[in-house]
Amino acid sequence: MTETHKRVIAILGSTGSIGVQTLQVVEEHPECFEIYAITANEKVDELIEQARKFLPEVVVIANETKYEQLKEALKDLPIKVYGGYEAICQVVQSQPIDIVVTALVGFAGLRPTIEAIKAGKAIALANKETMVVAGELINELAMKHQTPILPVDSEHSAIFQCLAGERDNKVEKLILTASGGPFRTFSKEQLANVTKEQALKHPNWSMGAKITIDSASMMNKGLEVIEAKWLFGIEPSKIEVVVHPQSVIHSMVQFTDGAVKAQLGTPDMRLPIMYALSYPTRLSSTFERLDFSTIKEFTFETPDIERFPNLQLAYHALTMGGNMPCVLNAANEVCVAAFLAERIKFTEMSRLIERALQSSDYQLKPTLDNLIATDSATRRMVEGWI
Ligand code: MG
């Protein structure tokens, strides 16, 4: 990064947890970054406030019924205002943008990410579902358009940082750390009766609702294993998950000589966000530092797949490949929404996801259209069961 050229950023999902923290990073380094576009799904009031503060060129609200309100609120400013999901897919292609932060939730991240890659934009990937559903396609496109995909997920950022400078040195395995979530010590019986309020209380990280439920069910780690495969081109058998309840080690890489490198830090997403935006440069920050005098212990456990079958289901989907990770993801999105609406119990989620994997038609090399069809067919099917 040079002082003369600011990185021009589009944030998809600017009112979500990652979006808000990305704006904080930009505020911390206004000399390095400039906001070109921000988009939100629903939260129009927050979006208006952000737009008035950061004065981007373009603002998009996906929910078109809120477009008039947005347009009216920003009419005194020289900001282009659009409504609808298609507008997001178009705005990411705008010429001035250097890097697109994909912080939308779920399958909705896929198409805008593809359009951004096709337009040659670097991707700061905060939407892991995109890589889960279509990792192979995304990698092919990124290769063709010579554009980098930079991880924002803290585990993948940790691995990315551990790999810096290693060039062709061979990796023996990636070790993804997991906090274990709020139910790490719960019995199977206790898990069956947990409430959504309990599930939404993550012990270490503050995040959006969908990922917090995914963390409680260990599906988040399952999705991250799949994400790691595609980001780092490594076989599933070489990706290990270890539960590390303190969430200080964000992940590790073991090399063929036996050396293990780890990246440590406070659980603050602004660091991985900033690293993705400024890569390969490290910028200074005022974020809280680790204080080793207050860290009493580092502990590690093997994940319990009896109590948390989602991790196993994700490995299974990944090993099968093709459209199965897409089935896994769609079934999970429907289940998480149903759990948040208190329509199903916590432990029912895994059962429904497993059933979806068993009941879906397998496609070895799905196209984008196949994946879109798989996603909607899976959603319909799982909705039908609920
Ligand atoms: Mg993560």
Side-chain angles (χ1 to χ4, degrees), residues 48-65:
I48 291 165
E49 202 178 305
Q50 291 177 341
R52 301 200 71 89
K53 181 166 176 185
F54 289 89
L55 300 171
E57 291 283 319
V58 182
V59 176
V60 187
I61 183 89
N63 182 339
E64 284 175 77
T65 64

Side-chain angles (χ1 to χ4, degrees), residues 128 152-157 176-177 205 207 211 215 220-221 224 227 250-251 269:
K128 69 189 83 189
V152 169
D153 212 343
S154 62
E155 295 78 0
H156 305 74
S157 176
L176 291 176
T177 52
W205 294 92
M207 308 176 286
I211 184 171
S215 296
N220 183 51
K221 214 46 58 178
E224 288 180 352
E227 183 187 10
H250 296 316
S251 277
M269 283 306 297

Side-chain angles (χ1 to χ4, degrees), residues 18 25 124 150-158 161 205 250 263 266-278 287:
I18 295 289
V25 167
L150 303 150
V152 169
D153 212 343
S154 62
E155 295 78 0
H156 305 74
S157 176
Q161 293 177 56
W205 294 92
H250 296 316
Q263 187 260 334
T266 56
D268 185 338
M269 283 306 297
R270 290 175 301 176
L271 196 146
I273 292 168
M274 193 163 77
Y275 190 73
L277 294 181
S278 67
F287 312 151

Side-chain angles (χ1 to χ4, degrees), residues 237-293:
S237 62
K238 293 183 174 176
I239 307 172
E240 193 176 296
V241 172
V242 61
V243 175
H244 166 52
Q246 294 80 22
S247 295
V248 171
I249 298 177
H250 296 316
S251 277
M252 301 175 261
V253 177
Q254 182 172 309
F255 295 89
T256 46
D257 60 356
V260 179
K261 280 168 81 173
Q263 187 260 334
L264 286 67
T266 56
D268 185 338
M269 283 306 297
R270 290 175 301 176
L271 196 146
I273 292 168
M274 193 163 77
Y275 190 73
L277 294 181
S278 67
Y279 175 81
T281 307
R282 283 189 189 274
L283 299 176
S284 62
S285 88
T286 56
F287 312 151
E288 195 191 333
R289 299 320 198 228
L290 267 188
D291 177 1
F292 284 92
S293 67

